[in-house]
Amino acid sequence: MLRFLKAARYSGPMVFIVASLAIGFLVAPPQKTEIGTAELSSPHLNVTPRTDAERARIADITAMPATFTKPEAFETNPAGAATVRARKTADAFSQPSGNISFERELDFKVGNGLFKKLWVSSPSSTLASDGLGPLFNARSCQRCHLKDGRGHPPEGSEDDAVSMFLRVSVPAAPEEDISEIEAFLLSAGEEPLRVRPDPNYGGQLQDFATAGHKAEYRLEVTYEEFDVPLSDDQTALLRRPTYSAEDLGYGPLAEGAMLSPRVAPPMIGLGLLEAIPAEDILALADPEDRDGDGISGRAQMVWSFEHDRPMLGRFGWKAGAPTIREQSASAFAGDIGISSPIFPDPWGDCAAGQSACREAPHGDGDVRKTEIDSEGLDLVTFYSRNLAVPARRDVDDPQVLRGKAVFHETGCASCHRPKFVTDRLDDQPEQSFQLIWPMTDLLLHDMGEGLADNRPEGRASGREWRTAPLWGIGMTEQVNGHTQFLHDGRARSLLEAVLWHGGEAQASRDAVVEMPKADRDALIRYLESL
């Protein structure tokens, strides 16, 4: 009976979406592809190819709106049939896809259990849960992604940086062997930005350690505040952060070490982002800005250790991971020190010089072979793939509609691309052929010197970041009890986040500064409705 009720509840939106895709006559968007999709094909195995007729219908329904006097069709359902109602509690980001079946919801709940699971150090009588560290940032996925939402920087000396850490890398020496992705970029005619993990600390700094080991560091953040004048005699107060790695436990960082702060991003809608066709993302890339609009997004290219080939990067602040499964395995290794079939080293991110860490007891000596096995990783991936996006609120509010118009008029939608239609996926019904509104193009953009971390990652320079999805951003305070945004949480409000935009977004940022206060308020009100 429950399965029937769920099917009945969501059959309406699914039918209407398909019906909408069946009409319209707009041609496909201009092709600005810089990389062939053969090299960066879908991460999914069971994709039904689109016909030319379908491409034309999809171009119609994903076209930018012509007017802003009323909401667009299906705008209240940003995740298509996978959308869930917007709860008024802190659990708003922790719901399964709205169109998930009764049987598959059980896998979601088991995956949720593994996501919350507290890992313990080895040796332990709890064989299914040992293998923590020895160096780590958190004991569970949930500790960083609290309530499946957004992390924050530490506030004061008593607040651990449990949902934030520092990535670290050093320039590669000229004589070092090139990596797989560097070889691919060279073959494509690019000069890769070559970096390597710090020889003493690895690829990220861990601020916790198991008994008998020293933590790698303590994160310290200081801020310098400054005023930004706005129109209508308004002023915004921004804070510029400085990060330092204090109390280093394993000697100094290597010469030229580059640090990049990262807060845990929200988990909602990841499966739908993964289901966006690579060709649709690549069609938006315009690295030479040939159309002259000032926006020159680039596709991130990464090496997939699971698929052993170059793939389009989609996940992480610089799009450094190609799939949810690989991103999950990378987080297990780097954040918790847990090995997996993709990253089987039992010591996680311990550098070659950290011999005590590498030689410590680990949790891979039993039948699992790795500390989380393939089945466990699949369940965490399924859970992460199916964390639902809540429905939009107040889409017909006049101030929200005015804010939406301002969002488009100022060019925000050039990078925060509103709509896509996902692939037809035979084995992922929740994500298959959905009209979604993630508000991102998943491309890398130069965000200016103010947001630069000066640390390359893959194809991304020290000034480039992936366009962050905006769906659910207005519920951050409800879910996580704060309003701190951007990759390092420096912005204490949505307006501050906008004012930090530079580089390709400088013109849009300046327009927000100069527009009447009523329009600026409407823009923020629109973002809060997402």
Side-chain angles (χ1 to χ4, degrees):
M1 182 65 179
L2 178 61
R3 291 196 297 275
F4 173 79
L5 290 175
K6 286 188 175 182
R9 178 181 178 185
Y10 288 101
S11 61
M14 292 180 74
V15 169
F16 286 134
I17 290 170
V18 174
S20 295
L21 294 177
I23 62 175
F25 305 98
L26 287 185
V27 297
Q31 296 296 304
K32 300 186 287 187
T33 302
E34 53 168 327
I35 309 157
T37 56
E39 291 89 352
L40 300 175
S41 56
S42 169
H44 302 287
L45 298 178
N46 299 306
V47 179
T48 301
R50 292 175 174 175
T51 65
D52 290 341
E54 279 183 333
R55 293 176 196 273
R57 294 194 296 271
I58 289 169
D60 179 23
I61 201 168
T62 58
M64 296 292 189
T67 63
F68 301 94
T69 57
K70 63 181 181 179
E72 295 175 75
F74 318 115
E75 195 169 358
T76 55
N77 292 329
T83 306
V84 295
R85 66 178 175 86
R87 288 162 172 79
K88 297 183 179 181
T89 69
D91 293 324
F93 288 176
S94 300
Q95 308 306 312
S97 298
N99 54 352
I100 198 169
S101 69
F102 180 83
E103 295 83 0
R104 287 166 72 86
E105 190 171 347
L106 177 60
D107 288 339
F108 177 88
K109 291 178 178 178
V110 176
N112 185 20
L114 290 171
F115 195 81
K116 294 179 177 178
K117 176 180 181 176
L118 294 175
W119 294 83
V120 299
S121 59
S122 298
S124 169
S125 59
T126 312
L127 294 180
S129 299
D130 70 342
L132 176 68
L135 304 175
F136 60 98
N137 296 105
R139 289 183 59 197
S140 72
C141 308
Q142 181 78 9
R143 289 295 302 275
C144 290
H145 300 277
L146 185 62
K147 291 293 183 180
D148 306 296
R150 187 181 303 269
H152 64 88
E155 296 289 348
S157 58
E158 301 301 318
D159 187 10
D160 289 329
V162 73
S163 59
M164 181 180 191
F165 65 80
L166 294 177
R167 289 209 183 280
V168 58
S169 56
V170 298
E175 66 274 10
E176 287 189 66
D177 291 339
I178 63 173
S179 66
E180 294 95 336
I181 192 61
E182 289 167 351
F184 175 76
L185 290 172
L186 284 168
S187 70
E190 293 192 30
E191 187 66 34
L193 304 168
R194 302 184 64 215
V195 295
R196 295 292 182 269
D198 185 285
N200 295 326
Y201 288 91
Q204 70 186 60
L205 297 178
Q206 286 86 18
D207 50 355
F208 293 103
T210 58
H213 297 270
K214 294 183 293 184
E216 290 188 322
Y217 84 123
R218 175 177 56 84
L219 174 61
E220 188 166 295
V221 190
T222 58
Y223 295 98
E224 173 193 1
E225 293 189 331
F226 62 98
D227 291 328
V228 176
L230 306 173
S231 65
D232 294 346
D233 297 322
Q234 300 291 303
T235 301
L237 184 66
L238 270 60
R239 58 178 188 174
R240 181 180 293 109
T242 299
Y243 302 94
S244 61
E246 302 295 327
D247 302 335
L248 290 167
Y250 297 87
L253 293 167
E255 184 178 355
M258 299 167 280
L259 300 176
S260 180
R262 309 289 175 89
V263 298
M267 298 288 295
I268 57 173
L270 298 185
L272 294 164
L273 297 178
E274 189 179 53
I276 297 173
E279 65 179 293
D280 291 358
I281 299 170
L282 294 171
L284 300 173
D286 186 18
E288 306 301 328
D289 192 21
R290 293 176 181 173
D291 60 6
D293 64 355
I295 305 301
S296 51
R298 299 197 303 154
Q300 174 67 291
M301 288 188 284
V302 298
W303 190 264
S304 171
F305 295 94
E306 179 180 14
H307 298 284
D308 195 32
R309 61 180 172 88
M311 293 184 68
L312 175 68
R314 299 173 188 245
F315 302 106
W317 288 106
K318 290 191 182 243
T323 66
I324 298 169
R325 193 171 191 265
E326 196 155 328
Q327 172 74 2
S328 300
S330 177
F332 270 116
D335 301 349
I336 314 178
I338 297 297
S339 60
S340 68
I342 299 177
F343 300 107
D345 291 338
W347 49 77
D349 186 52
C350 293
Q354 294 173 313
S355 57
C357 174
R358 291 195 169 207
E359 295 169 5
H362 299 292
D364 61 342
D366 55 53
V367 294
R368 289 176 294 167
K369 293 188 173 56
T370 55
E371 291 159 337
I372 187 168
D373 59 17
S374 183
E375 182 180 9
L377 184 60
D378 287 343
L379 287 165
V380 171
T381 300
F382 185 83
Y383 172 74
S384 303
R385 185 176 283 151
N386 280 286
L387 281 163
V389 180
R392 284 276 310 280
R393 286 88 53 215
D394 304 323
V395 295
D396 57 353
D397 181 278
Q399 189 182 31
V400 169
L401 289 169
R402 176 57 193 155
K404 180 181 176 182
V406 172
F407 186 85
H408 283 261
E409 290 165 1
T410 55
C412 302
S414 296
C415 299
H416 291 284
R417 194 80 177 184
K419 293 175 282 185
F420 291 91
V421 173
T422 59
D423 265 324
R424 290 188 187 273
L425 303 173
D426 297 341
D427 55 352
Q428 288 181 217
E430 300 86 4
Q431 289 82 43
S432 181
F433 209 57
Q434 299 298 320
L435 172 64
I436 63 172
W437 306 65
M439 315 299 291
T440 176
D441 59 7
L442 294 179
L443 296 174
L444 300 171
H445 293 275
D446 180 347
M447 294 300 294
E449 193 58 35
L451 288 178
D453 66 351
N454 300 310
R455 175 186 173 272
E457 181 178 328
R459 203 181 186 208
S461 73
R463 291 167 53 106
E464 288 180 309
W465 300 92
R466 182 203 68 164
T467 305
L470 297 182
W471 48 14
I473 198 168
M475 303 182 77
T476 300
E477 186 171 17
Q478 174 186 312
V479 172
N480 293 119
H482 68 81
T483 54
Q484 299 187 61
F485 303 105
L486 301 178
H487 67 280
D488 55 2
R490 71 177 69 186
R492 294 162 294 185
S493 68
L494 290 169
L495 178 58
E496 285 188 35
V498 171
L499 295 177
W500 271 109
H501 283 51
E504 296 174 44
Q506 186 69 44
S508 297
R509 177 263 185 200
D510 292 347
V512 173
V513 167
E514 297 164 3
M515 67 179 52
K517 179 180 182 298
D519 281 352
R520 198 160 49 239
D521 291 345
L523 173 64
I524 299 305
R525 182 73 181 87
Y526 168 66
L527 295 175
E528 290 172 344
S529 78
L530 296 177

